[in-house]
Amino acid sequence: MSKMTRSLLAASALMLGLSAPAFAKTFVYCSEASPEGFDPAPYTAGTTFDASAHPVFNRLVEFKKGTTEIEPGLATSWDVSDDGLTYTFHLRPDVKWQSVDGYAPTRTMNADDVIFSFDRQGNPDNPWHDYLPGITYEYYSAMEMADLIKSIEKVDDMTVKITLTRPEAPFLANLAMPFMSIVSKEYADTLAEDGKQAQFNQVPVGTGPFQFVAYQQDAVIRYKKNADYWGTAPKIDDLVFAITPEASVRLQRLQANECQLMPYPSPADLDAIKADSNLKLDQQPGLNVAYLAYNTTIAPFDKPEVRKALNMAINKQAIIDAVFQGAGEVAKNPIPPTMWSYNDSIQDDPYDPEKAKQMLADAGVSNLDMEIWAMPVQRPYMPNARRTAELMQSDLEKVGVKASIVSYEWGEYLKRSTDPARKGAVIMGWTGDNGDPDNFMGVLLSCAATGDGGSNRAQWCNEDFSELLTKAKATTDQAERAKLYEQAQVIFKEQAPWDTLAHSTQYVPMRANVEGFQMSPLGDFTFETVDLK
Amino acid sequence: MIRFFFNKLLYLIPTLIGITIVAFGFVRVLPGDPVTLLAGERGITPERHAELAAQLGFDRPVWAQYLDFLWRLLHGDFGNSIVTKQPVLSEFLQLFPATVELSLCAIILATLIGVPVGVLAAVKRGSWFDQISMTTALVGFSMPIFWWGLLLIIFFSGTLGWTPVSGRMSLMFYFDTPTGFMLIDSLLSGQDGAFTSALSHLILPSVVLGTIPLAVIARQTRSAMLEVMGEDYVRTARAKGMSRRRVVMVHALRNAMVPVVTTIGLQIGLLMAGAILTETIFSWPGVGKWMIDSISRRDYPVVQSGLLLIAGIVMIVNLIVDLTYGLINPRIRHK
């Protein structure tokens, strides 16, 4: 090689090195469904939050990665008044908003944004309350935020004071939920001026680790790294959601390296995934519970001993083995074992058909004819309700109880199962929203949740139990709260309004070169810590 | 011919009104409602349910809702999705090209293979080719789309690695899609390899979607050819010493094509049904998958307007088929 060629080559290599930045790292996630929109407030689906709240936005406080503990987010610190009614949040200074085509922010995040984010959901007079046709804020209303928040005041640009109507311990955890994401008031104002309000739901602008680039409906969502992110910068440059509804096709894409991580593998594929050396599989117990809710207001299910007898007649381990294919564990409490205040000293009703038979006879129940309702859809906490119901049916037959299986279309099932006059025991379940025990016991078992449309499908109203919950909710000391919830679980087990069936295991398959992915107990998929090796 | 055209067009109006009734009624007779599904496992109090229903306009009598729907349609307003809050028409326009592109490829594939196979099977009636191809067609006709699609993905994408698994385009490419047709947009983008990528993504879904029409077209072509070849004029042509090839290609085929063209036209309408499953398997962002999602969410405005738009387009396609039919076979016009 001549000297000249060599120096030319060296020069061009240098030029290439200077002009082309390091090869952009693209991470593709095979998501399972299309997001409903990109404004996190009006929606309830996890898929939507994975595409909006988590990559694009932040909240005042955040769940610490991989846990349900609260850590500072857009608020660096907060003070709670002694009566537990006033929360003062100190905002993080110099947090930059993202810019998108046609919009560049002129200021950083401040108290106005926080107030706007909450006020638009709770205040019908806010011009942004109805900015889309038929828009509703389901989470804001389900978590009773409108009743709970008395006022939100701006103390100064960097301080916000929220006053509550009653002390409420889970309030902080609520603030970390996706629907409480902080959105930009300046962006909203600009869009309103241009008459382009709908864009607020199509092109999100947030403070989060990734910035929205484009969405092709039902096909692809593209994000790029937020170069100005206040937190730890993401390690990947581009994040792509490839929307792939079929679980087996998702796996094929993952195996073909068309994507690097996928949610919700079908249980039947787990062995194949474990056998594939190009893939690895993360797993953790899900923050969920599947249960069979009796209607405790209808005879003979109004007697705890009858409910307990039925619980003892059902072989739960067999359900875990056959229906969950091992991807779960038998539940004894209404909250999962990963949640604080889980009472591990509780003894589950053992599987004992002989004793069950005896107990039923003692209670004067003979020739019992009952319905078991099986939900028609697959859920993260219940892979196949029909099959579960069939197993229960055969178990119950052994103790002389005749069970018939009933199913309705999903919407109808949801509606009919909350009817206080409902006959039959209902298979249902729940996945936690914010890691607070009240989000399970309060929502599903309190007296307030009984009645038509409430989610207490056992229609079980136990004064002692409910009182413990109310007390716990008004206490801010977590250790004290934990004690109260532990007591509540004792009452729950004695009274047995449900047969607690299972806590399912979550699996996340990914390429072997994926590093830094952290599963969330809340079932979220977030990618700011992900890297490709 | 013009009168024929207007007569056909006139028939469209009552049919379209009929479709509005069916489309409107269809989702409403299904159990479950959007409001309950919106709240999910969380449950919803009767008061909150009523409040939401009122907000969405479902508290009024069904006939009033229907008239309102018609009135808006007359003003070109197809309504907004309950879930995404987007105008139904803009979602449709965004997704429709993908379905058209896939359907066209499927029908072209089915015609290009189905017609020659049918002709050959007819000409060589009773031969091993005839028997094998017609048995295969029968199997193809009864192929469950979902299973067939997955099988092809697992074999060609998984085991052999020849074709991409799903989607319309490699995610490496990123460009504007002004026409919505990936084959065209990829060429316009000027990016190296984009067109090949779009084409390779089309292969498996086209094969899956084209399988049933292919089987139908092949069988229809065969029986039409057999019928025509038994006609007097064909025998006359043969008797006059015309070559077999010329008799088949010119005399028989042209006349046999009349029912075949109708079949192809009707298949285009039926493709919509197949597209629903095919699009779901291949993550193909078209109107088929959109309809399925919307039905399961009881997204009333999307289902009623979406079905109407799809039906309207299928009807226009059928109208064009009728007209082509008239062109090929002049006798039809005078009936």
Side-chain angles (χ1 to χ4, degrees), chain A residues 340-409:
Chain A
W340 60 270
S341 81
Y342 181 81
N343 190 342
D344 207 16
S345 62
I346 297 272
Q347 290 292 317
D348 199 11
D349 299 316
Y351 170 57
D352 189 345
E354 283 312 311
K355 180 129 186 255
K357 224 187 222 168
Q358 186 60 46
M359 282 170 77
L360 285 175
D362 291 349
V365 176
S366 57
N367 298 327
L368 178 59
D369 213 333
M370 68 181 282
E371 283 178 2
I372 294 176
W373 288 27
M375 36 201 272
V377 292
Q378 194 180 355
R379 278 304 201 238
Y381 48 76
M382 175 48 71
N384 188 339
R386 179 101 209 165
R387 185 87 191 94
T388 304
E390 284 165 5
L391 291 173
M392 289 177 173
Q393 189 180 36
S394 82
D395 283 343
L396 290 171
E397 204 183 323
K398 288 174 202 152
V399 299
V401 175
K402 212 180 134 221
S404 52
I405 300 171
V406 175
S407 198
Y408 296 98
E409 181 280 330

Side-chain angles (χ1 to χ4, degrees), chain B residues 171-187:
Chain B
L171 295 162
M172 298 300 289
F173 296 103
Y174 173 44
F175 46 78
D176 283 338
T177 50
T179 68
F181 294 95
M182 217 38 109
L183 288 179
I184 301 173
D185 291 337
S186 60
L187 282 177

Side-chain angles (χ1 to χ4, degrees), chain A residues 117-441:
Chain A
S117 301
F118 301 164
D119 189 64
R120 70 186 183 115
Q121 300 187 54
N123 174 12
D125 298 328
N126 186 310
W128 280 83
H129 187 68
D130 297 311
Y131 80 100
L132 292 171
I135 191 171
T136 57
Y137 300 94
E138 265 328 285
Y139 254 120
Y140 201 86
S141 93
M143 306 298 287
E144 298 174 349
M145 296 300 273
D147 294 337
L148 184 62
I149 297 179
K150 193 165 153 197
S151 66
I152 311 171
E153 290 155 82
K154 173 178 177 172
V155 178
D156 59 50
D157 265 0
M158 286 290 120
T159 317
V160 178
K161 193 168 90 179
I162 301 181
T163 312
L164 305 184
T165 52
R166 54 172 191 267
E168 171 115 333
F171 176 65
L172 266 184
N174 292 356
L175 289 182
M177 286 172 63
F179 76 102
M180 293 306 263
S181 293
I182 304 302
V183 295
S184 163
K185 177 163 194 308
E186 192 193 10
Y187 182 47
D189 288 343
T190 311
L191 292 178
E193 241 166 65
D194 301 347
K196 292 197 288 198
Q197 281 91 334
Q199 191 183 316
F200 199 73
N201 192 32
Q202 291 159 10
V203 182
V205 165
T207 55
F210 293 99
Q211 176 166 342
F212 176 86
V213 175
Y215 172 44
Q216 246 180 322
Q217 195 179 346
D218 291 350
V220 186
I221 317 171
R222 285 172 194 277
Y223 309 86
K224 64 179 184 201
K225 175 161 90 178
N226 176 4
D228 295 323
Y229 187 48
W230 57 269
T232 314
K235 300 195 174 59
I236 48 172
D237 302 293
D238 295 293
L239 174 64
V240 179
F241 279 35
I243 297 161
T244 314
E246 242 331 278
S248 41
V249 176
R250 279 202 295 280
L251 179 58
Q252 289 293 329
R253 285 189 102 158
L254 187 71
Q255 286 177 324
N257 204 13
E258 284 182 23
C259 60
Q260 284 79 50
L261 193 139
M262 65 173 269
Y264 315 120
S266 86
D269 288 334
L270 289 175
D271 286 337
I273 296 169
K274 285 174 191 158
D276 189 331
S277 62
N278 291 318
L279 305 182
K280 59 181 179 183
L281 188 64
D282 273 10
Q283 68 180 78
Q284 74 171 21
L287 196 75
N288 61 41
V289 63
Y291 57 85
L292 176 77
Y294 304 103
N295 187 343
T296 58
T297 59
I298 287 183
F301 308 104
D302 52 346
K303 292 187 193 158
E305 56 273 26
V306 173
R307 302 194 293 257
K308 272 183 120 53
L310 295 174
N311 287 359
M312 289 165 83
I314 293 168
N315 185 352
K316 297 195 271 191
Q317 190 56 50
I319 294 174
I320 299 286
D321 295 342
V323 181
F324 289 75
Q325 307 201 10
E329 57 178 313
V330 167
K332 60 180 182 183
N333 286 326
I335 59 172
T338 45
M339 183 175 272
W340 60 270
S341 81
Y342 181 81
N343 190 342
D344 207 16
S345 62
I346 297 272
Q347 290 292 317
D348 199 11
D349 299 316
Y351 170 57
D352 189 345
E354 283 312 311
K355 180 129 186 255
K357 224 187 222 168
Q358 186 60 46
M359 282 170 77
L360 285 175
D362 291 349
V365 176
S366 57
N367 298 327
L368 178 59
D369 213 333
M370 68 181 282
E371 283 178 2
I372 294 176
W373 288 27
M375 36 201 272
V377 292
Q378 194 180 355
R379 278 304 201 238
Y381 48 76
M382 175 48 71
N384 188 339
R386 179 101 209 165
R387 185 87 191 94
T388 304
E390 284 165 5
L391 291 173
M392 289 177 173
Q393 189 180 36
S394 82
D395 283 343
L396 290 171
E397 204 183 323
K398 288 174 202 152
V399 299
V401 175
K402 212 180 134 221
S404 52
I405 300 171
V406 175
S407 198
Y408 296 98
E409 181 280 330
W410 185 223
E412 201 64 11
Y413 189 92
L414 288 169
K415 200 149 127 190
R416 287 181 187 230
S417 58
T418 68
D419 183 351
R422 180 200 81 220
K423 287 201 180 66
V426 172
I427 298 177
M428 236 359 243
W430 183 258
T431 303
D433 293 311
N434 58 7
D436 196 282
D438 187 67
N439 183 251
F440 276 76
M441 289 189 264

